Amino acid sequence: MGHPRWLSEEESRAWHAFLAAGALLNRRLDQQLKDEVGLSHLQYEILVRLSAEPRHEMRMTELADSLFNTKSGLTYQITQLEKAGLVQRRACTWDVRGVKAVLTDAGQEMLKRAAPGHVATVRELLIDVLTPEQLIAVADGLGEASRRMCDGNASGPR
Amino acid sequence: MGHPRWLSEEESRAWHAFLAAGALLNRRLDQQLKDEVGLSHLQYEILVRLSAEPRHEMRMTELADSLFNTKSGLTYQITQLEKAGLVQRRACTWDVRGVKAVLTDAGQEMLKRAAPGHVATVRELLIDVLTPEQLIAVADGLGEASRRMCDGNASGPR
DNA sequence: CGGCCCTCGTTCAAATTTGAATCGAGTTTC
DNA sequence: GAAACTCGATTCAAATTTGAACGAGGGCCG
């Protein structure tokens, strides 16, 4: 660690592109969803996660983890979604402490309404911009990076 | 627009990887900077932008744009950085309305102290994880995507 | 059982972000 | 020359995020 290895021209280009694309994309997606159906991107993702589940329900902590969000942040958002009638809280049967978030019919409806526009935007702004090779490189490279970050190595090996 | 083209297996993989990597990386970088020098990632980036400028100064709006942030958000952060003595506001000479943010000596000092750890983390978590081909694909692909999003096409051609 | 530690979800205050409204100063238009 | 507009930056209230602390339960060892 004594010698900071700076980023090369190419590395810097990649890093900046990654940062910029992330920031811009998040902004656009938020905007698109807000305009079209009145959801934030985070809220949309919550609905997606629930919908992907067999019984359309998930434990709070599990959901928070899958979204890379804090538990308290999720508590807040679920409360919002509950007020909007898109999600319901339900006690967990086997674990008295547990709470499950369940997608309501209105929630599914909303998702069905929101998804096409969202996917179209993701396509237009990112997916369809990439060449097939770039797409695979992104899937493999960023996939590997996020996999490593998930495996609780809070500070990494050294 | 009538037929929503869903994402293929590969496309979905790329999109999820992109989302996950962005979220995780942001979290890690924020944490690392906070722990090591007490700055948020955004604040660090502000210092970097200023430092890259010939006279270590930039107009508020220009700075906000370069960070893909709102003007009011930047106003807040510059105020924080000013309290910390890392940045100073200065009236713009030629445009009476303008305000320039200027990096102070303490700001440069801070940057010098923060950069090595930050770069090391970026390397460890992303750059060094990618193969050379993936690196170039990310730089090119995401670079192109962010370029398109910048060119004020608020909704894209259709 | 009883103590001890861990987990689940929430609550709370503080920090940050957002977007609309505002203020002051240029610029344009007629 | 003045109303009308634009631009740069700030202000403000409301929404959201963060992280520490809390309340209730599990689970395990003695």
Side-chain angles (χ1 to χ4, degrees), chain A residues 15-81:
Chain A
W15 174 234
H16 286 317
F18 180 77
L19 275 189
L24 288 167
L25 212 34
N26 257 326
R27 196 163 290 277
R28 293 293 191 96
L29 290 176
D30 249 336
Q31 168 119 38
Q32 184 270 328
L33 282 167
K34 199 81 77 182
D35 287 352
E36 213 150 307
V37 299
L39 290 178
S40 69
H41 186 201
L42 177 54
Q43 292 174 329
Y44 174 83
E45 287 295 333
I46 291 175
L47 299 187
V48 170
R49 296 292 193 290
L50 289 179
S51 169
E53 220 54 28
R55 311 203 42 203
H56 289 185
E57 62 183 31
M58 222 184 300
R59 293 282 296 260
M60 295 297 279
T61 298
E62 185 190 4
L63 189 47
D65 287 346
S66 92
L67 293 160
F68 314 111
N69 239 260
T70 60
K71 283 184 297 178
S72 68
L74 185 68
T75 291
Y76 174 78
Q77 284 299 348
I78 291 293
T79 302
Q80 298 308 105
L81 288 173

Side-chain angles (χ1 to χ4, degrees), chain A residues 78-95:
Chain A
I78 291 293
T79 302
Q80 298 308 105
L81 288 173
E82 206 169 22
K83 282 182 195 162
L86 305 178
V87 152
Q88 249 187 242
R89 266 180 242 253
R90 192 169 300 170
C92 188
T93 326
W94 42 69
D95 187 345

Side-chain angles (χ1 to χ4, degrees), chain B residues 27-56:
Chain B
R27 197 163 290 277
R28 293 295 190 96
L29 290 176
D30 248 337
Q31 168 117 39
Q32 185 270 325
L33 282 167
K34 200 80 78 183
D35 288 352
E36 213 149 308
V37 299
L39 291 177
S40 69
H41 186 199
L42 176 54
Q43 293 175 328
Y44 175 83
E45 287 295 333
I46 291 175
L47 299 187
V48 169
R49 296 292 193 289
L50 290 179
S51 168
E53 219 56 27
R55 308 204 43 202
H56 290 184

Side-chain angles (χ1 to χ4, degrees), chain A residues 116-132:
Chain A
H118 174 73
V119 174
T121 306
V122 171
R123 254 193 195 297
E124 177 191 334
L125 299 183
L126 181 67
I127 299 298
D128 286 350
V129 174
L130 303 178
T131 67

